[in-house]
Amino acid sequence: MLAGSGFAVAVTVVAVIALVILRPVPAVAITPDRLPLEPTSWTVETLLEESMTGVPAPEVAESRRGAEWEGWFVQLDLDSPTATFIQPQRTQIEWNDDLSGTSRVIAGVPMSADGTPIEPVPASAEATGTILYEDSWAPGELVTPFPTAPPADVDGMRAYLQAFLREQGGTDADPPSAGDYVLAVTSLMQVWTLSEAAQRAAITVILDAAGVTVAGETTDRAGRSGVVLNTEPTDLQPDYRTRLIIDPASWRILAAETNTIDGLPDFGIPAGAVTDYTIWR
C-alpha cells in the first residue's frame, strides 16, 4: 500500500514533505539523485531581460482548471534493510468553477535513483498504471487556495502569488523572496494548467525577486534541456531548498527539485538529499 501521495498538498497544505511508504515500519530510505549540472551562459539578469522581450504567440492561450504532474518522492521499503527503487506517481486533477471535481494518483514505472527503469519490477512495487488514490468532490466541497484564474501579466501574477503567500502565513513586512514565489507557483501548478503567458509571467516574478541564482543547465527526467534556478529556504519551508528548472526557449516551467538542508536522520536521509521532484510535461 502507498501513502503520502502528495495530492493533499495540492488542495489543502503546501509546505509538506511527501514520504512514500511501502510498509508499516521505518527503515532506510532511497532518494532520487540530484539532477546533474552543466555550465551555462545564462544569468539571472539575462534571463530577466529575455523574459520581458519578444513574447511569441502562445500555444496555450488560457490557463485552465485542472492539472497533471508526476512526482518522485523519498521512498521507504520497510520490509527491506535498504530501499531499492522509487516509484513515481502521476497525479491528475479536474475541477470546475463550482468547486466540484475529481482526482486520482496513478503508479508509474519503478525507477532506480538515477531515473533508470528497473527490470524485473520489484515484487513490492505496485503495478504500473494502478490507481493508488481516487476521490471526488460535490459542488462546493473542493478546498483549493487558488479558486480564481491566475493572471497572465507580471504585475497581476505577482499580486496573485502574494495573496496566496499571505494566506499561508506570510506577512507584508518584507517582500517575498524568490523561494517564496517558487513555493507559490509550484503549488499553483498542482491545480491549474498555466498558459504560456502565465508561466512566463510567473518565471519573471521569480527572477525579479531576491534570493535566486542560476546554478547551470541540466537535462530533466523527461529528457528536456533546461536552466536550473537555485532559491534559498523560506519561512514557510525553512528546512528545504528548491531548484526550479525552466526552459528559456518556451518560457515553460519543466520541473522542481526539493532538497533537505539538514537531512532526515530518523529515515537515514542525509543532508542535501532530494526529498521530492516534480515534472510538468
Side-chain angles (χ1 to χ4, degrees), residues 113-246:
D114 66 2
T116 304
I118 294 178
E119 294 289 346
V121 173
S124 58
E126 299 285 350
T128 301
T130 298
I131 296 176
L132 308 174
Y133 173 89
E134 194 165 17
D135 201 1
S136 61
W137 302 276
E141 287 187 347
L142 175 66
V143 178
T144 173
F146 301 104
T148 59
D153 64 287
V154 174
D155 290 341
M157 178 63 76
R158 183 180 290 108
Y160 181 88
L161 299 175
Q162 287 175 352
F164 164 79
L165 290 167
R166 284 193 296 271
E167 290 177 1
Q168 300 303 309
T171 70
D172 294 324
D174 297 307
S177 67
D180 289 319
Y181 285 125
V182 167
L183 173 62
V185 170
T186 54
S187 301
L188 170 63
M189 291 179 67
Q190 291 182 335
V191 290
W192 282 87
T193 297
L194 300 186
S195 68
E196 271 109 354
Q199 291 194 58
R200 189 183 188 112
I203 293 170
T204 303
V205 169
I206 293 165
L207 291 169
D208 198 35
V212 59
T213 58
V214 174
E217 295 189 26
T218 195
T219 301
D220 78 354
R221 294 188 186 276
R224 303 168 298 185
S225 298
V227 173
V228 180
L229 303 180
N230 271 352
T231 61
E232 292 302 310
T234 69
D235 289 342
L236 291 172
Q237 287 188 312
D239 299 324
Y240 300 92
R241 286 190 177 92
T242 298
R243 303 201 300 179
L244 192 72
I245 297 89
I246 65 169

Side-chain angles (χ1 to χ4, degrees), residues 43-170:
T43 66
V44 170
E45 291 73 24
T46 58
L47 284 169
L48 185 58
E49 180 180 0
E50 183 69 19
S51 75
M52 302 179 75
T53 60
V55 180
E59 295 181 11
V60 180
E62 295 183 356
S63 299
R64 63 172 178 83
R65 293 179 185 85
E68 182 167 335
W69 46 277
E70 183 178 312
W72 298 54
F73 306 110
V74 168
Q75 195 131 0
L76 308 176
D77 187 342
L78 304 178
D79 272 352
S80 302
T82 303
T84 58
F85 71 94
I86 293 170
Q87 187 157 23
Q89 298 176 13
R90 180 161 42 94
T91 297
Q92 301 170 334
I93 175 171
E94 300 173 356
W95 59 287
N96 306 303
D97 58 2
D98 65 357
L99 299 181
S100 64
T102 60
S103 70
R104 62 192 60 85
V105 178
I106 301 166
V109 177
M111 300 279 183
S112 62
D114 66 2
T116 304
I118 294 178
E119 294 289 346
V121 173
S124 58
E126 299 285 350
T128 301
T130 298
I131 296 176
L132 308 174
Y133 173 89
E134 194 165 17
D135 201 1
S136 61
W137 302 276
E141 287 187 347
L142 175 66
V143 178
T144 173
F146 301 104
T148 59
D153 64 287
V154 174
D155 290 341
M157 178 63 76
R158 183 180 290 108
Y160 181 88
L161 299 175
Q162 287 175 352
F164 164 79
L165 290 167
R166 284 193 296 271
E167 290 177 1
Q168 300 303 309

Side-chain angles (χ1 to χ4, degrees), residues 241-281:
R241 286 190 177 92
T242 298
R243 303 201 300 179
L244 192 72
I245 297 89
I246 65 169
D247 177 7
S250 63
W251 292 104
R252 291 186 59 206
I253 295 170
L254 305 180
E257 180 186 273
T258 301
N259 306 98
T260 172
I261 295 172
D262 297 324
L264 300 169
D266 290 346
F267 298 101
I269 297 172
V274 176
T275 51
D276 62 84
Y277 176 84
T278 303
I279 299 172
W280 291 274
R281 296 183 186 270

